[in-house]
Amino acid sequence: MVIFVYVCLLIAIIIAELNEKKNIAVEKAYKQVNKDFSSIFSTLLPGATAKLAPPEGATCLEVLEVRVGFGDVWKDTLTELSGGQRYIDEHINSICIYIIYMYMYIH
């Protein structure tokens, strides 16, 4: 019985360590993808900026939103964008998903 409790405790410790490593990897990937996303977006739409950001009260481990800004004005929703801007944004989102996948796969 003592061995069983010890093994369960050891498994719980290992799971906690793996979760912490996963969280660190996801946060690192988020920062790099956000940087690349912003760079690609501003290259395709000069004068525009974009970022992936968690909504208020959330973290990058839970959910991310796409935020787009033109000049100093950040748009609240993507429906405020023109058709061409939404088209480019959709393709950039696809690229971001690919970048996240490759980053997580490689690292």
Side-chain angles (χ1 to χ4, degrees):
M1 180 70 167
V2 173
I3 293 175
F4 177 74
V5 172
Y6 176 75
V7 169
C8 289
L9 182 60
L10 187 60
I11 289 172
I13 291 170
I14 291 170
I15 289 172
E17 288 176 2
L18 290 174
N19 277 334
E20 183 61 26
K21 288 181 181 181
K22 175 200 67 164
N23 291 346
I24 291 169
V26 169
E27 288 175 3
K28 186 177 177 183
Y30 159 69
K31 289 176 184 174
Q32 183 62 45
V33 169
N34 195 27
K35 180 180 164 190
D36 294 343
F37 176 68
S38 179
S39 175
I40 292 168
F41 197 87
S42 63
T43 299
L44 294 175
L45 284 174
T49 55
K51 63 181 176 180
L52 301 171
E56 276 189 47
T59 69
C60 68
L61 301 172
E62 299 166 335
V63 62
L64 292 173
E65 295 177 335
V66 175
R67 300 291 315 266
V68 178
F70 296 93
D72 294 334
V73 180
W74 286 92
K75 301 295 183 178
D76 291 328
T77 65
L78 295 181
T79 57
E80 295 180 50
L81 302 178
S82 71
Q85 292 167 336
R86 277 195 303 266
Y87 176 80
I88 290 174
D89 183 62
E90 289 170 7
H91 289 290
I92 292 173
N93 287 341
S94 298
I95 293 168
C96 281
I97 291 169
Y98 178 75
I99 291 170
I100 290 171
Y101 173 77
M102 292 305 295
Y103 188 88
M104 296 301 288
Y105 182 74
I106 291 170
H107 292 91

